[in-house]
Amino acid sequence: SLCHQIPGATDPDLPITAQQTQLYTCRVNDLHRNAIFSDWVKVEVHQYVARGLPPRLWRGEPVVVLNPTEQRVEVGKPLQLQCAAMGVPAPAYQWYRNGNPLEHQKKKKLWITHAKVSDSGTYLCCASNSLGEHWTNAVDVHIGE
């Protein structure tokens, strides 16, 4: 992948208008040309903003921008549900089926390679950070022949 320096980006804060998902890092040089780099941060751009942008008084608590959608899947086929939230710090995710947390389903995408009838139910995702939590809409998933 190609790295580009952002012209004129010399302030501690970097306001951007992102057009696509990209990774960013900050380089700080001292007078002796030594450089230190920050950790990489991924700025995600989502095509769908389900709930609109955060309110003006937003303090960084999670705001859901992509809700999962209802699914009808044949037995043995893959099941994929997706959610996304904005937050500072970046939110952690937890998926639930019928009100119960799903072990090992802690990413924006819930992926079941071979769906079973027992995977049917009502799913939702919780996005949380140190400032709060927000839940997606609940959606029904039907697994059948």
Side-chain angles (χ1 to χ4, degrees):
S1 65
L2 224 47
C3 290
H4 298 284
Q5 184 170 321
I6 300 172
T10 58
D11 292 331
D13 295 322
L14 176 65
I16 60 168
T17 302
Q19 301 296 320
Q20 64 185 25
T21 298
Q22 294 185 45
L23 294 171
Y24 291 85
T25 187
C26 178
R27 182 186 73 209
V28 178
N29 296 333
D30 67 11
L31 296 175
H32 305 287
R33 295 185 179 241
N34 297 316
I36 297 174
F37 290 85
S38 70
D39 290 336
W40 287 92
V41 64
K42 183 178 185 180
V43 175
E44 293 187 5
V45 176
H46 294 278
Q47 303 304 318
Y48 315 102
V49 179
R51 296 194 39 156
L53 296 173
R56 274 191 331 196
L57 299 177
W58 184 59
R59 298 285 182 251
E61 67 278 6
V63 174
V64 173
V65 295
L66 179 62
N67 278 286
T69 57
E70 184 174 327
Q71 302 283 319
R72 290 187 177 276
V73 177
E74 291 180 30
V75 171
K77 299 288 185 186
L79 166 64
Q80 179 179 303
L81 295 172
Q82 199 171 348
C83 75
M86 293 188 299
V88 180
Y93 297 90
Q94 175 64 61
W95 283 92
Y96 292 79
R97 182 180 67 238
N98 300 331
N100 299 310
L102 295 171
E103 195 174 336
H104 309 300
Q105 296 291 354
K106 297 176 183 286
K107 296 183 178 177
K108 286 179 279 196
K109 289 185 182 179
L110 175 144
W111 180 258
I112 297 173
T113 310
H114 303 289
K116 304 181 294 289
V117 172
S118 60
D119 292 320
S120 294
T122 302
Y123 285 76
L124 50 77
C125 180
C126 179
S128 62
N129 66 14
S130 57
L131 298 172
E133 65 181 28
H134 200 94
W135 297 76
T136 65
N137 296 337
V139 296
D140 292 325
V141 171
H142 308 277
I143 313 294
E145 297 300 329

